[in-house]
Amino acid sequence: MISGKTAVYGLIGDPVDHSMSPVIQNAAFNSAGIDAVYIPFHVDGSGLKLAIQGLRALKVRGFNVMAPHKVNVLRHIDKVESLAADIGSVNTVVREDGQLCGYNTDGPGALNALEEAGASPHGKSILIFGAGGASQAIIYTLAQHASSTVLLNRTVSKARQLAAHLRKRFKANVTCASLSTKQIKSFVERADIVVNASSMGMKGKANPPIEGNWLRQGQCVLDIVYDPVQTKLLDLAGAARAISVTGLDMLVNQGACSFELWTRRKASMGEMRHAIAQKLLAMEHAESG
Ligand code: ATR
C-alpha cells in the first residue's frame, strides 16, 4: 500500500511507454520488502530542466534517465561519478544528502551480464557494432578489460573518434572500421565476444551483417536489442552453439546496478526476470487478441 512514507523513484525519457524498467524495479522493491514505488515520467526535451527541479522539490530518491536526456541531464544535476563523466552520459541519478548524483550503469550492466553467462571479457578479443550512446557507455567498460577491441560503425568517423579517445584514456588496444568493410567475416571469426550495441536488428530494422557460419561454439554474442528479445543475430548464435546474452539480460543487470546504487542492497534478479517474463506473456496475449 502506498502511504506517506512510501519512497518514490522513477524514470524520465521520451518516450517511456515501452520501458521495462517500471516492471523490473517495482518487482525488486516488492521482493526486498522496501516501501517504494517506481514511476515512469514522460518528459520531452524542452521540459527537462523543469522536470528535474520538480523531482528535486518532490524529494524523489532516485531516477533512471533514458533517451533523449542521457547527455543533457548532466547540466542539471550536482555531481557526476567519474565513469559517467568520462562517457559524458548518465542513466541513473541518486539523491545523496540532498544532492543529485549521476552514474552510468550501462557498462557495468553489460559486464555483469557477460560474466553471469560465463563469458568474462578479461583478456578477450571483442568485436562491437555501433558507436552511438549505448555503444559508447558499454565499450568504456569492456575495452578496459579486453585484450583487443574492434569497433565497427556505419558512420566511420564516430567509430574513429571513440577509438582514439579510448586508446588515449585507457591505453586500450582499440581499432575501428566502417560497417561496409570486407573484413567483417575475419573480425567476427577472430572475436571471442561479439556485441551488437547498435539499433540494427530492432523490429523493422536491418540485421547486423553477420552470417551464421562465421560464428562458432565457445564464442559469446551479446545483443543489446530487446524488441524482439530473440533477435536474428541471437538465432544465428544459438544455431552455432555460441553463448547468447540477450538485451533483457543486460537490462536486468543494468537495472540491478541502479537498484543497488539507490538502496545499497542487492536486487533480486530472479524476481526481476520473473516479472519481465510475466509482462511479455501478457503483451503476447494482448497482441494475439
Ligand atoms: P543509442 O543511444 O541507442 O546507441 P544512437 O546514438 O542513435 O542510439 O546510435 C545508434 C547506433 O546504431 C549507431 O551506431 C548507428 O550508426 P550511425 O552512427 O552510423 O548512425 C547504428 N545504426 C542505426 N541504424 C543503423 C542501420 N540501419 N545500419 C547500420 N547502423 C545503424
Side-chain angles (χ1 to χ4, degrees), residues 130-135 153-155 158 179 197-200 205-206:
S135 169
N153 199 46
R154 178 178 59 183
T155 311
K158 271 160 75 179
L179 206 55
S198 76
S199 46
M200 287 184 288
K205 278 205 164 205

Side-chain angles (χ1 to χ4, degrees), residues 52 56 63 65 72-81 90 92-93 99-103:
I52 293 186
R56 269 184 206 277
F63 54 93
V65 184
N72 290 339
V73 73
L74 270 87
R75 284 192 264 141
H76 305 291
I77 57 181
D78 307 305
K79 285 197 286 186
V80 183
E81 179 261 345
V90 157
T92 303
V93 175
Q99 292 204 303
L100 297 183
C101 306
Y103 296 83

Side-chain angles (χ1 to χ4, degrees), residues 138-154:
I138 292 169
I139 202 173
Y140 255 80
T141 301
L142 299 190
Q144 293 179 55
H145 297 280
S147 60
S148 66
T149 304
V150 176
L151 186 52
L152 296 181
N153 199 46
R154 178 178 59 183

Side-chain angles (χ1 to χ4, degrees), residues 2-251:
I2 291 176
S3 74
K5 289 187 186 146
T6 304
V8 178
Y9 293 85
L11 157 71
I12 56 169
D14 180 19
V16 290
D17 51 358
H18 65 290
S19 172
M20 287 284 176
S21 294
V23 175
I24 62 173
Q25 296 299 350
N26 284 313
F29 284 128
N30 273 338
S31 141
I34 298 174
D35 182 11
V37 61
Y38 181 101
I39 305 164
F41 297 109
H42 182 196
V43 175
D44 64 22
S46 65
L48 180 63
K49 184 176 174 196
L50 210 54
I52 293 186
Q53 282 172 359
L55 293 168
R56 269 184 206 277
L58 296 168
K59 297 193 172 50
V60 164
R61 303 273 182 98
F63 54 93
N64 282 128
V65 184
M66 280 175 56
H69 305 310
K70 286 183 171 191
V71 174
N72 290 339
V73 73
L74 270 87
R75 284 192 264 141
H76 305 291
I77 57 181
D78 307 305
K79 285 197 286 186
V80 183
E81 179 261 345
S82 64
L83 172 72
D86 243 357
I87 301 168
S89 92
V90 157
N91 79 336
T92 303
V93 175
V94 186
R95 196 162 135 257
E96 292 168 3
D97 300 324
Q99 292 204 303
L100 297 183
C101 306
Y103 296 83
N104 196 309
T105 65
D106 286 329
L111 177 64
N112 293 351
L114 287 171
E115 287 183 336
E116 198 184 26
S120 165
H122 289 275
K124 297 289 167 56
S125 26
I126 296 183
L127 172 64
I128 182 160
F129 288 86
S135 169
Q136 200 166 331
I138 292 169
I139 202 173
Y140 255 80
T141 301
L142 299 190
Q144 293 179 55
H145 297 280
S147 60
S148 66
T149 304
V150 176
L151 186 52
L152 296 181
N153 199 46
R154 178 178 59 183
T155 311
V156 72
S157 56
K158 271 160 75 179
R160 256 193 226 119
Q161 207 178 354
L162 185 52
H165 184 73
L166 288 161
R167 281 196 295 267
K168 194 165 160 216
R169 176 70 179 79
F170 301 115
K171 302 203 173 8
N173 176 3
V174 184
T175 51
C176 66
S178 145
L179 206 55
S180 57
T181 174
K182 294 209 167 64
Q183 285 174 280
I184 291 194
K185 178 171 185 277
S186 73
F187 285 139
V188 172
E189 286 172 344
R190 271 187 270 147
D192 299 307
I193 299 174
V194 176
V195 179
N196 176 34
S198 76
S199 46
M200 287 184 288
M202 271 170 64
K203 247 180 213 159
K205 278 205 164 205
N207 291 298
I210 294 183
E211 290 178 23
N213 59 3
W214 301 352
L215 296 167
R216 61 182 148 77
Q217 191 169 6
Q219 265 179 328
C220 175
V221 178
L222 161 63
D223 198 337
I224 70 159
V225 169
Y226 66 87
D227 186 19
V229 180
Q230 186 60 29
T231 58
K232 286 276 180 301
L233 175 60
L234 293 180
D235 280 344
L236 298 180
R241 306 184 68 188
I243 298 169
S244 286
V245 181
T246 69
L248 284 186
D249 294 327
M250 167 149 166
L251 186 78

